[in-house]
Amino acid sequence: GCDFAYEEDTWKTITISGLTFNVVKPCARCKLPTVNPHTGQFHADNQPMRSMKAFRAGKEIGFDKINPKWGGEIFFGQNLDHESNENGILLRVGQACSVQKK
């Protein structure tokens, strides 16, 4: 239901079934997406990281202004931290969520 690709870059909080998650920081991708899960070998062309570098590198999307160390990292997604879950809320596939933007 997002209006544009990578809209999660603009999110502040996500609430699912009464449990709130704070968007802590963007997620720099590790090399794992370049590994063939069947062979354990890295993709010879460093894909998909090589393609993503053109449009999701920290310097390309302005994250280097937040943290200079992020200039060369490739970002996809966000790191979240949930608030207290004293009621033991369980998350399940298909539950509705709401998003508050920055």
Side-chain angles (χ1 to χ4, degrees):
C2 296
D3 293 329
F4 56 91
Y6 309 108
E7 189 172 326
E8 68 271 15
D9 291 345
T10 68
W11 295 353
K12 181 179 179 180
T13 62
I14 302 168
T15 303
I16 306 170
S17 295
L19 183 59
T20 299
F21 295 85
N22 296 302
V23 177
V24 180
K25 67 180 186 73
C27 184
R29 298 310 305 168
C30 66
K31 289 287 219 173
L32 193 58
T34 66
V35 176
N36 181 323
H38 301 291
T39 66
Q41 301 293 316
F42 283 99
H43 192 282
D45 291 334
N46 196 33
Q47 292 294 0
M49 302 300 276
R50 191 177 87 185
S51 294
M52 290 181 68
K53 187 173 187 174
F55 61 95
R56 288 302 294 173
K59 190 170 185 173
E60 297 295 320
I61 56 179
F63 287 170
D64 60 326
K65 292 172 181 57
I66 299 168
N67 184 334
K69 294 179 183 177
W70 293 352
E73 299 286 341
I74 298 169
F75 291 90
F76 186 76
Q78 298 290 324
N79 288 289
L80 307 176
D81 186 15
H82 70 81
E83 295 182 358
S84 176
N85 188 9
E86 295 173 3
N87 297 327
I89 297 169
L90 295 176
L91 301 181
R92 293 188 170 84
V93 173
Q95 289 176 312
C97 68
S98 62
V99 173
Q100 180 184 21
K101 295 183 180 184
K102 297 177 183 177

